[in-house]
């Protein structure tokens, strides 16, 4: 933040004013410090002891970047003239040039005691407190300076920057109403001040009051630079409102208008926003060209490195992105983008301790920063103990009904190892047959991450069933590997032993299935994705099944997620089990689907999440005529806090992959997720 000390400079008139020094004083007044330095240096050749010339020379070199030398001259003058108050004022200002704010604070306090009516002392003290970020005290100080000289433009200017600094700190601490009040006080003093309006828009953006921020930027119709700055802000707001196409349109407009401005820093910022907009819209090839251009001119270009890291992140080139952030931090260790970006990529790569360390580093440099605090909190909660409790009710057109309730708890014991356990009770009945059955499933499991993104899962438990016809106990087991370490790919394979309990008849048959399965998902950087699943199942009734499912889909939007595509499913049983369960030798189904998802992980407390899957198509059962199919699943959740989420869900399906043709199944349920602690139980 830049502070103006013009009040002190006016005092120099009493020293520097003289026919032979008037030209030098005017140089100082106009900010021509190099010329003033040469002017007074020439005077001192002939008059080395002239106090006025020495004082003006010290001011000239101090304001021209030689702060330490200026302070030394003032200190020498104080030794020669210990009671000269004007020299004391200049010495105090030189402490600020040298950023010796703690010493300056004590020094100005003594000056104010010496002369409580000194405007220059009051102004210098207020600016010192502002540099120390003691903004409430600085405001008291500047108001006292204004009381002494109500018409001083320098005091009003200092008050502006004190209020803007205070507003920035309040925004960082998420005290948005107080921050708005501080910035609006600036606008009361300077009604059309561009910096104040931009600060007010920034407050609204941080408070997620995007419409208010948008209105502020749309009112900015000043200079060409102001218009470009406003367009950059509007592009960001469009992105934050999940309108990335609009963001790109606005950034293009800003880029065109930036050609006419002379501000080189703003030109780079405008190019940066345009590249960001291209990345947000998955136009990666077009984004790479300006990034390469920036880095071609300077391989250590900070904006170029940050944009390269962002591009690699969006393209899932995580290791390359991490290297770019490391290069950025070698140049600027305090870079916010570098530190928090590095934390995000380390998290994505499964390097949790490193991600936390980078987040802590970010918060050391930017205390209470909203995004860094959220990142750290989300990451710690991801490894905290969590419970999921669920109740369900279902029925079908075969007069089967079922009620179930269950709970599951997961307890991480380290960033790589966790244990889990669960219990489910289910009661099913058939009103036509006047039969019912109850089942209990209890299991314990573990997950272990050998290396980041490669996990082993194991769970084992007991399935107990009872009905009027029989009672049985069976072992359930699941073991598998999950591999997420491949770029844009997910692989899940393993073995599962489970007991069928869909209806009373299946419970009575006590059919045990042994599944050997593999799931594979491939993403792309052009929004197309492919998922494939294969199950080979052997059963204790000497039957076996092969199931293949594949889905080709296109993602239209990232948040809320909107994707659509085509599914194909094939099922083949070795033997037809007749009326016991649906077991065709050939079953084919093709359907078109639409998914809409507002994930609870990406919403704030007090907001709703939702999900909708709708699919329709045709199924072909052996040699029967084709049949229409319909599947719908809907979900609505409410996030009470970062640790508590309630969901209601319902589904309907008439696809015959689990039972005979003509089948229709409906289900409703509630689930409640509760993260038991704010952070891992095993500590950090």
């Amino acid at each position: 933040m830049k502070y103006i000390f013009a009040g002190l400079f006016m005092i120099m008139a009493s020293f520097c004013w003289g026919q032979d020094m008037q030209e030098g004083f005017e140089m100082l007044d106009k900010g021509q410090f190099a010329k003033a330095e040469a002017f007074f240096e020439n005077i001192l050749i002939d008059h080395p002891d002239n106090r006025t010339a020495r004082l003006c020379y010290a001011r000239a070199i101090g304001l021209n970047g030689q702060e330490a030398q200026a302070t030394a001259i003032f200190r020498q003058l104080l030794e020669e003239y210990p009671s000269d108050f004007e020299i004391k004022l200049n010495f105090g200002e030189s402490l600020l040039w040298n950023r010796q704010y703690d010493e300056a604070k004590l020094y100005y306090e003594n000056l104010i005691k010496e002369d409580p009516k000194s405007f220059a002392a009051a102004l210098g003290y207020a600016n010192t407190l502002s540099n120390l970020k003691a903004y409430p005290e600085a405001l008291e100080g500047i108001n006292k300076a204004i009381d002494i000289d109500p018409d001083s433009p320098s005091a009003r200017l200092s008050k502006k920057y004190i209020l803007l600094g205070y507003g920035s700190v309040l925004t960082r601490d998420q005290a948005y109403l107080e921050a708005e009040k501080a910035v609006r006080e600036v606008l009361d003093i300077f009604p059309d001040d561009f910096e104040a309006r931009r600060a007010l828009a920034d407050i609204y953006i941080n408070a997620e009051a995007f419409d208010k921020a948008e209105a502020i930027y749309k009112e900015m119709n000043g200079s060409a630079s102001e218009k470009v700055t406003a367009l950059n802000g509007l592009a960001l707001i469009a992105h934050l409102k999940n309108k990335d196409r609009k963001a790109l349109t606005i950034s293009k407009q800003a880029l065109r208008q930036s050609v006419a401005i002379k501000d080189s820093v703003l030109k780079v910022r405008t190019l940066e926003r345009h590249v960001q907009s291209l990345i947000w819209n998955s136009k990666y090839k077009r984004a790479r060209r300006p990034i390469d251009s920036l880095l071609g001119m300077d391989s250590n270009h900070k904006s170029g490195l940050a944009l390269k890291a962002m591009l690699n992140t969006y393209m899932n080139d995580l290791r390359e992105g991490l290297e770019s952030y490391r290069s950025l931090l070698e140049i600027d260790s305090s870079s916010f983008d570098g530190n928090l970006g590095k934390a995000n990529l380390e998290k994505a790569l499964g390097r949790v301790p490193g991600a936390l360390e980078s987040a802590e580093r970010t918060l050391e440099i930017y205390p209470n920063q909203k995004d860094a605090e959220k990142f750290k909190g989300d990451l710690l909660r991801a490894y905290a103990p969590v419970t999921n409790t669920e109740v369900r009710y279902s029925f079908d057109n075969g007069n089967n009904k079922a009620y179930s309730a269950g709970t599951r708890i997961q307890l991480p014991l380290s960033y790589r190892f966790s244990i889990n356990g669960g219990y489910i009770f289910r009661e099913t009945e058939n009103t036509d047959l006047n039969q019912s059955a109850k089942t209990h499933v209890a299991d314990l499991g573990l997950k272990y991450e050998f290396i980041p993104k490669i996990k082993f899962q194991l769970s084992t438990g007991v399935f107990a069933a009872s009905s009027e016809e029989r009672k049985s106990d069976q072992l359930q087991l699941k073991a598998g590997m999950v591999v997420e370490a491949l770029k844009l790919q997910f692989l899940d394979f393993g073995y599962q032993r489970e007991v069928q309990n869909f209806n009373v008849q299946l419970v009575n048959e006590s059919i045990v299935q042994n599944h050997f399965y593999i799931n594979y998902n491939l993403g792309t950087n052009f929004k197309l994705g492919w998922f494939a699943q294969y199950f080979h199942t052997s059963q204790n009734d000497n039957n076996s099944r092969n199931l293949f499912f594949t889905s080709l889909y296109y993602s239209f939007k990232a948040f809320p997620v909107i994707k659509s595509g085509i599914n194909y499913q094939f099922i083949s049983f070795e033997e037809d089990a007749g009326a016991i369960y649906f077991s065709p030798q050939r079953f084919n189904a093709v359907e078109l689907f639409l998914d809409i998802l507002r994930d609870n992980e990406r919403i704030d407390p007090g907001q709703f999440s939702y999900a909708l899957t709708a699919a329709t198509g045709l199924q072909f059962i052996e040699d029967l005529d084709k049949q229409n199919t319909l599947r719908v699943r809907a979900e609505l959740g409410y996030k009470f806090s970062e640790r508590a989420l309630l969901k209601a869900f319902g589904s309907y399906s008439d696809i015959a992959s689990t039972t005979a043709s003509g089948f229709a199944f409906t289900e409703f349920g509630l689930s409640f997720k509760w993260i038991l602690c704010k952070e891992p139980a095993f500590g950090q």
Side-chain angles (χ1 to χ4, degrees):
M1 184 181 294
K2 183 179 179 183
Y3 294 99
I4 307 299
F5 298 95
L8 285 180
F9 186 72
M10 297 303 294
I11 293 169
M12 292 306 304
S14 62
F15 286 96
C16 301
W17 199 270
Q19 189 61 41
D20 59 337
M21 297 189 195
Q22 183 175 354
E23 184 181 353
F25 174 73
E26 290 175 352
M27 292 173 184
L28 285 171
D29 190 34
K30 294 176 181 177
Q32 299 171 341
F33 303 127
K35 290 183 178 180
E37 177 184 342
F39 178 87
F40 288 109
E41 189 174 23
N42 286 331
I43 291 178
L44 289 171
I45 292 173
D46 297 325
H47 306 282
D49 296 325
N50 185 292
R51 182 181 64 176
T52 302
R54 291 165 67 191
L55 199 60
C56 290
Y57 176 73
R59 286 194 64 81
I61 65 172
L63 292 167
N64 198 34
Q66 302 175 63
E67 297 88 353
Q69 296 91 320
T71 301
I73 295 173
F74 289 135
R75 197 182 298 275
Q76 178 62 39
L77 285 168
L78 275 177
E79 291 179 4
E80 298 175 23
Y81 307 97
S83 61
D84 192 312
F85 195 73
E86 308 302 338
I87 295 177
K88 292 179 181 179
L89 289 171
N90 279 276
F91 177 72
E93 184 178 350
S94 75
L95 294 175
L96 298 183
W97 297 341
N98 285 280
R99 295 178 174 81
Q100 297 173 286
Y101 303 128
D102 291 323
E103 184 181 348
K105 179 176 180 291
L106 295 174
Y107 192 82
Y108 274 116
E109 286 173 351
N110 290 328
L111 289 183
I112 290 172
K113 288 178 183 177
E114 186 175 341
D115 184 359
K117 296 296 183 181
S118 170
F119 168 77
L123 178 65
Y125 184 55
N127 285 322
T128 300
L129 292 169
S130 182
N131 276 294
L132 289 168
K133 302 190 185 305
Y135 293 113
E137 296 86 349
L139 285 171
E140 288 182 23
I142 198 65
N143 286 334
K144 288 178 182 177
I146 292 173
D147 288 341
I148 296 169
D149 186 356
D151 298 324
S152 168
S154 59
R156 290 191 301 136
L157 198 57
S158 285
K159 185 171 184 179
K160 164 189 165 177
Y161 286 108
I162 291 169
L163 286 166
L164 290 178
Y166 192 30
S168 178
V169 169
L170 291 168
T171 301
R172 181 198 69 189
D173 293 339
Q174 301 178 43
Y176 301 123
L177 291 177
E178 293 87 343
E180 181 182 4
K181 181 180 177 182
V183 174
R184 287 202 176 277
E185 191 172 345
V186 176
L187 291 169
D188 290 339
I189 303 170
F190 303 98
D192 297 319
D193 187 82
F194 175 70
E195 290 175 287
R197 287 186 292 165
R198 189 171 60 182
L200 188 59
D202 185 59
I203 292 168
Y204 289 143
I205 288 173
N206 278 273
E208 298 183 7
F210 301 132
D211 290 340
K212 289 185 177 181
E214 191 173 29
I216 293 289
Y217 280 125
K218 285 182 176 178
E219 292 172 358
M220 293 183 181
N221 292 311
S223 67
S225 293
E226 290 181 5
K227 290 178 181 178
V228 170
T229 300
L231 288 170
N232 288 338
L234 289 170
L236 175 62
I237 292 169
H239 168 64
L240 294 172
K241 294 172 76 172
N242 299 305
K243 298 178 179 179
D244 288 336
R245 289 184 181 178
K246 182 178 179 181
L248 182 56
T249 300
I250 296 171
S251 76
K252 287 179 181 177
Q253 184 181 354
L255 194 64
R256 286 194 298 268
Q257 294 188 19
S258 70
V259 175
I261 65 176
K262 296 180 180 180
D263 187 338
S264 59
V265 174
L266 182 56
K267 281 178 177 285
V268 172
R269 287 178 179 169
T270 304
L271 177 61
E272 184 177 355
R273 178 71 77 232
H274 180 61
V275 173
Q276 289 170 346
S277 299
L278 289 169
I279 295 172
W280 294 332
N281 284 275
S282 303
K283 299 184 182 297
Y284 302 133
K285 288 185 178 179
R286 288 172 56 186
R288 190 178 296 280
R289 287 195 292 270
I291 294 173
D292 290 342
S293 177
L294 287 172
L295 294 175
M297 293 185 293
D298 179 4
S299 61
N300 291 327
H301 195 289
K302 289 195 288 187
S303 292
L305 287 170
L307 290 170
K308 183 179 179 182
M310 178 183 176
L311 176 62
N312 286 328
T313 300
Y314 271 71
M315 295 182 68
N316 213 46
D317 293 325
L318 304 183
R319 289 176 176 80
E320 291 84 350
L322 187 59
E323 285 304 313
S324 295
Y325 279 130
R326 285 173 175 163
S327 298
L328 175 59
L329 291 172
E330 287 177 4
I331 301 166
D332 180 6
S333 61
S334 65
S335 166
F336 175 77
D337 288 339
N339 281 286
L340 191 58
K342 181 170 176 278
N344 273 291
L345 287 186
E346 286 172 326
K347 174 188 174 184
L349 288 166
R351 304 171 186 176
V352 180
L356 284 171
E357 184 180 335
S358 295
E360 292 285 4
R361 169 69 177 159
T362 308
L363 289 168
E364 286 175 10
I365 304 170
Y366 304 93
N368 302 319
Q369 205 284 328
K370 181 180 178 181
D371 294 330
E373 288 280 11
K374 177 171 172 45
F375 174 86
K376 180 184 175 183
D378 289 347
L379 185 55
L380 290 175
R381 279 190 299 274
Y383 291 89
V386 59
T387 64
N388 280 281
T389 301
E390 193 170 85
V391 294
R392 295 171 178 258
Y393 169 69
S394 64
F395 60 90
D396 61 40
N397 57 352
N399 291 320
N400 294 296
K401 297 180 181 180
Y403 311 83
S404 68
T407 190
R408 186 158 205 86
I409 184 167
Q410 181 167 307
L411 176 62
L413 299 178
S414 73
Y415 293 124
R416 290 192 173 187
F417 180 67
S418 67
I419 58 175
N420 57 80
Y423 169 75
I424 300 174
F425 168 76
R426 189 170 189 269
E427 182 175 4
T428 181
E429 63 176 329
N430 186 289
T431 54
D432 285 348
L433 302 175
N434 196 25
Q435 292 179 334
S436 65
K438 296 178 181 179
T439 61
H440 306 262
V441 180
D443 69 89
L444 289 173
L446 62 85
K447 292 181 182 179
Y448 181 72
E449 191 168 17
F450 292 101
I451 59 175
K453 297 296 183 179
I454 299 180
K455 300 175 183 177
F456 171 72
Q457 300 180 131
L458 173 67
S459 65
T460 183
V462 176
F463 175 92
S466 61
S467 68
E468 295 177 358
E469 291 190 12
R470 64 183 299 177
K471 291 184 178 180
S472 65
D473 297 318
Q474 294 283 353
L475 173 70
Q476 293 208 145
L477 178 69
K478 183 174 182 179
M481 296 285 290
V482 178
V483 180
E484 300 177 71
L486 305 173
K487 178 184 174 181
L488 295 171
Q489 297 177 70
F490 175 93
L491 181 65
D492 174 18
F493 59 92
Y495 164 78
Q496 182 178 9
R497 174 188 168 94
E498 68 173 344
V499 184
Q500 287 293 293
N501 67 342
F502 181 78
N503 55 37
V504 177
Q505 190 173 10
L506 288 173
V507 171
N508 288 335
E509 293 292 330
S510 192
I511 295 175
V512 178
Q513 294 185 310
N514 295 281
H515 305 294
F516 297 89
Y517 66 89
I518 183 168
N519 299 310
Y520 175 72
N521 190 82
L522 173 65
T524 67
N525 287 318
F526 46 90
K527 300 185 179 182
L528 200 63
W530 175 56
F531 174 77
Q533 178 184 72
Y534 175 72
F535 272 71
H536 174 73
T537 303
S538 62
Q539 302 181 172
N540 62 346
D541 64 351
N542 295 319
N543 205 353
S544 64
R545 181 195 68 173
N546 289 295
L547 181 151
F548 175 72
F549 174 85
T550 188
S551 177
L552 185 66
Y553 57 88
Y554 184 84
S555 297
F556 294 92
K557 194 172 181 182
F559 186 78
V561 174
I562 300 177
K563 66 180 181 180
S564 183
I566 183 168
N567 297 333
Y568 169 72
Q569 183 174 219
F570 171 79
I571 299 174
S572 174
F573 280 84
E574 184 178 351
E575 301 290 341
D576 187 349
I580 300 175
Y581 56 87
F582 180 63
S583 50
Q585 291 187 321
R586 293 189 316 278
F587 171 87
N588 295 272
V590 180
E591 59 183 3
L592 299 175
F593 75 91
L594 172 69
D595 279 353
I596 301 174
L597 172 65
R598 190 170 193 255
D599 187 12
N600 60 277
E601 297 296 333
R602 297 182 62 181
I603 62 172
D604 295 324
Q607 294 183 331
F608 287 94
S609 64
Y610 54 80
L612 173 67
T613 296
T616 185
L618 298 172
Q619 63 182 7
F620 304 86
I621 304 172
E622 296 184 338
D623 296 326
L624 299 177
D625 292 338
K626 63 183 180 182
Q627 301 166 12
N628 295 325
T629 64
L630 174 66
R631 289 189 301 115
V632 179
R633 178 178 170 82
E635 182 182 284
L636 180 65
Y638 182 76
K639 198 170 188 177
F640 293 95
S641 70
E642 293 289 3
R643 295 166 53 198
L645 175 75
L646 179 67
K647 287 184 181 180
F649 57 87
S651 63
Y652 170 84
S653 175
D654 62 11
I655 197 166
S657 59
T658 55
T659 178
S661 59
F663 167 77
F665 172 81
T666 304
E667 183 177 56
F668 299 100
L670 288 172
S671 69
F672 180 68
K673 178 181 178 180
W674 180 30
I675 301 174
L676 302 178
C677 309
K678 292 182 179 180
E679 56 187 39
F682 56 85
Q684 296 181 44

